[in-house]
Amino acid sequence: MSLAWDLEERGTGGLKEACGVFGVYAPGEDLFQVTKYALYALQHRGQESAGIALSDGRQVYLKKGMGLVSEVFTNYKGPLKDVEPVAAMGHVRYLTSSTPRRATPENAQPLLVRSRQGCLAVAHNGNLINADELRDRLEKEGSIFQTSTDSELIAHLVARYGSHDLESSLKGVLPFIRGAYAFVFMAEKQVFGVRDPYGIRPLSLGLWNGHYVLASETCAFDTIGAETIRDIEPGEMVIIDGEGLRSVQILPSERKALCVFEFIYFARPDSNICGKNIHLVRKELGRQLAREHPVDSDIVTGVPDSSLAAASGFAEELGLSYEMGMIKNRYIGRTFIRPTQKIRDIGVQLKLNPVQKVVEGKRVVVVDDSIVRGTTSKKLVEMFFRAGAKEVHMRISSPVVISPCCYGINIPASRELIGYKKSVDDIRRDIGATSMGYLSQEGMFKAVGIAKEELCLACFSGNYPIDRG
Ligand code: AMP
């Protein structure tokens, strides 16, 4: 039985979240504002809820709510504004369509608990694969959960099995959890950043006004005026406090498995992961796609925003003209996470519209970064033909998605994936394109510039790097 089948039948356990996290230790600075600005920069990683926790060195204060950072924090007048902080952390959350009932205020993060070790605030990006198992065990031992988040699970593990201080407690309990995680923890006088031993989700370290900061993506550092120092290493925990920064390799990293989808779709183009700029990687994905699937055409256009870099690379490689053939309504959120197919169909039209005068009578190449269910591509092809395009050549700057993600990206069960059920030619027919081409896996490794042994490719290959145990 393959893991993909197993995931599809049983669900992936826990929540699938690709969120954004931030942490800073900087006594005397305006940490409420700086955390808010960092969360604005990470908003693309999650639009469902937002939260900030501040510590004044004695207590931790929290404000979180449903919606965008601006919705939760504009006109905020609560206690966080009066605290004289030493440390702060924040979280933006993104949730899958398969678990809409979990989109509740209690599940917003950071999660704040008070235990015998003191205050602990937790923010998580990723998804634990043994969450159900651990939760069952803790419940049998008497733990009562108030949320369905992996963060609360960690908090219970620390409270139950931890020792006197947070640092040794985390060292003690983190080996029990399996899956993808980039955590920021905060106690009264310390901030911690931890990345799972595979390094599936990103987490970077920066320096802001002489203080250390942590963020899911480096674009948050640019926004607050911090300098990027480096990525947190897989299996590494950093501890930031009044003494500065310490690093501990808490778990051995035998195999790295950075999520390749961060490069393809998820991360912001101005961020760097592993020292590689996301925009430039996407452009190279487009160039490689053009080498593999060239096409005689008049214009190349991308699906805004995530595919524009790949479309420009595609056009440059073939010496074709790159055009703004499609406009995105920026005031509508991501359609992908809408719960039903009918709403998803309308969502694409609400969000995207071809520029008729640009595409009319032309042979158009449309580059998109990925196809998941096929909803977007089918609508796009229909819209371009309706706008008068003579031919619509669909080009995808990633390989065929065949398996769900259990590490935090919203990629649904196999049965919903068009690439799982159909051949490329059937997909072409289904979406009504003149021609169709996906980037090969080899082409993707070449463009990303990271060895395939160091990437998580589960959604493209069905091979999951973490043993379910
Ligand atoms: P679909 O319409 O289901 O085939 O989804 C593909 C479209 O959604 C593409 O235009 C992608 O840019 C975008 N996309 C791909 N993966 C995700 C994701 N995990 N969350 C939100 N949007 C996505």
Side-chain angles (χ1 to χ4, degrees):
M1 185 195 304
S2 77
L3 176 56
W5 183 90
D6 203 30
L7 291 170
E8 184 172 337
E9 294 305 305
R10 298 191 316 155
T12 53
L15 293 176
K16 291 192 281 179
E17 295 177 66
C19 307
V21 295
F22 177 78
V24 55
Y25 181 89
E29 302 277 0
D30 185 353
L31 298 187
F32 176 62
Q33 288 301 342
V34 95
T35 305
K36 193 168 79 176
Y37 296 150
L39 293 186
Y40 275 124
L42 297 172
Q43 188 77 83
H44 63 289
R45 296 187 71 85
Q47 300 96 45
E48 183 209 287
S49 68
I52 294 179
L54 289 187
S55 169
D56 64 3
R58 292 179 301 278
Q59 276 207 63
V60 177
Y61 303 81
L62 173 70
K63 163 71 185 170
K64 57 184 181 174
M66 302 303 287
L68 301 173
V69 180
S70 58
E71 291 168 312
V72 179
F73 291 106
T74 306
N75 301 325
Y76 170 74
K77 298 209 170 43
L80 292 196
K81 291 198 107 163
D82 307 321
V83 171
E84 282 183 19
V86 299
M89 66 190 287
H91 187 265
V92 285
R93 179 162 187 245
Y94 158 94
L95 189 70
T96 65
S97 54
S98 55
T99 49
R101 68 186 184 285
R102 287 171 163 173
T104 59
E106 314 82 78
N107 282 345
Q109 295 189 41
L111 178 91
L112 175 59
V113 291
R114 289 180 181 85
S115 67
R116 63 199 155 94
Q117 291 92 352
C119 289
L120 170 63
V122 189
H124 176 209
N125 172 24
N127 187 56
L128 304 186
I129 59 170
N130 64 341
D132 290 348
E133 198 181 304
L134 289 171
R135 187 176 280 261
D136 276 357
R137 191 169 134 190
L138 284 162
E139 279 177 342
K140 282 193 187 109
E141 290 173 7
S143 298
I144 296 169
F145 285 85
Q146 298 186 4
T147 76
S148 48
T149 62
D150 291 347
S151 294
E152 194 182 6
L153 191 68
I154 295 290
H156 276 282
L157 286 171
V158 167
R160 190 162 281 265
Y161 302 112
S163 45
H164 55 288
D165 69 293
L166 188 55
E167 181 176 338
S168 42
S169 300
L170 291 173
K171 282 183 195 155
V173 305
L174 286 170
F176 290 112
I177 65 171
R178 284 204 315 277
Y181 52 87
F183 278 115
V184 170
F185 298 103
M186 187 173 74
E188 292 88 343
K189 293 184 169 74
Q190 282 179 311
V191 172
F192 300 78
V194 189
R195 215 168 153 207
D196 74 66
Y198 296 84
I200 293 179
R201 303 260 74 88
L203 185 64
S204 296
L205 178 71
L207 195 65
W208 172 70
N209 288 349
H211 307 289
Y212 290 104
V213 283
L214 295 161
S216 292
E217 286 185 39
T218 61
C219 62
F221 298 154
D222 299 340
T223 301
I224 62 168
E227 174 198 332
T228 299
I229 301 181
R230 63 175 176 88
D231 293 345
I232 302 299
E233 290 297 321
E236 180 186 11
M237 172 160 84
V238 291
I239 304 121
I240 308 171
D241 55 22
E243 316 269 286
L245 176 103
R246 269 179 307 126
S247 157
V248 189
Q249 187 69 33
I250 48 165
L251 289 162
S253 174
E254 274 144 27
R255 182 223 193 282
K256 289 185 187 165
L258 172 63
C259 167
V260 73
F261 221 74
E262 291 277 352
F263 289 103
I264 290 165
Y265 169 79
F266 213 74
R268 230 171 82 158
D270 48 343
S271 287
N272 301 324
I273 302 179
C274 273
K276 293 182 185 294
N277 171 250
I278 302 295
H279 168 78
L280 293 177
V281 168
R282 287 186 189 158
K283 200 159 174 191
E284 196 47 41
L285 289 163
R287 283 185 174 279
Q288 184 62 29
L289 177 65
R291 284 176 214 126
E292 293 182 11
H293 298 284
V295 55
D296 197 11
S297 66
D298 303 312
I299 61 163
V300 178
T301 191
V303 184
D305 293 317
S306 48
S307 308
L308 299 183
S312 72
F314 189 99
E316 262 180 43
E317 184 66 22
L318 298 182
L320 293 168
S321 100
Y322 168 71
E323 281 288 353
M324 193 79 129
M326 169 144 275
I327 299 297
K328 177 177 171 180
N329 181 337
R330 285 174 201 289
Y331 304 97
I332 295 174
R334 290 182 172 182
T335 57
F336 189 90
I337 47 180
R338 301 282 170 237
T340 68
Q341 190 59 39
K342 205 166 164 195
I343 297 174
R344 244 179 244 125
D345 282 344
I346 301 166
V348 177
Q349 252 162 274
L350 275 175
K351 192 168 76 167
L352 297 166
N353 193 35
V355 184
Q356 193 181 345
K357 298 280 184 206
V358 171
V359 303
E360 216 164 30
K362 303 268 172 51
R363 295 169 302 165
V364 182
V365 179
V366 181
V367 179
D368 202 356
D369 58 84
S370 55
I371 295 187
V372 181
R373 295 178 177 89
T375 316
T376 308
S377 307
K378 198 169 180 164
K379 279 275 157 202
L380 289 177
V381 173
E382 224 178 272
M383 290 194 287
F384 276 108
F385 276 127
R386 216 183 313 130
K390 211 157 63 180
E391 294 172 2
V392 180
H393 302 275
M394 207 62 208
R395 293 292 180 272
I396 308 300
S397 61
S398 65
V400 184
V401 172
I402 58 162
S403 263
C405 177
C406 58
Y407 304 133
I409 293 267
N410 184 358
I411 293 179
S414 301
R415 63 178 174 276
E416 291 184 48
L417 300 171
I418 195 168
Y420 174 77
K421 298 182 287 196
K422 298 187 174 170
S423 68
V424 175
D425 201 45
D426 286 343
I427 297 174
R428 185 200 62 74
R429 220 169 298 126
D430 220 55
I431 67 174
T434 314
S435 78
M436 175 98 205
Y438 279 91
L439 183 64
S440 68
Q441 292 199 18
E442 287 306 322
M444 173 176 71
F445 307 140
K446 217 195 263 177
V448 172
I450 297 179
K452 63 173 178 239
E453 295 75 22
E454 300 199 347
L455 292 169
C456 176
L457 306 165
C459 56
F460 300 119
S461 66
N463 297 324
Y464 292 78
I466 309 179
D467 182 8
R468 298 268 288 179

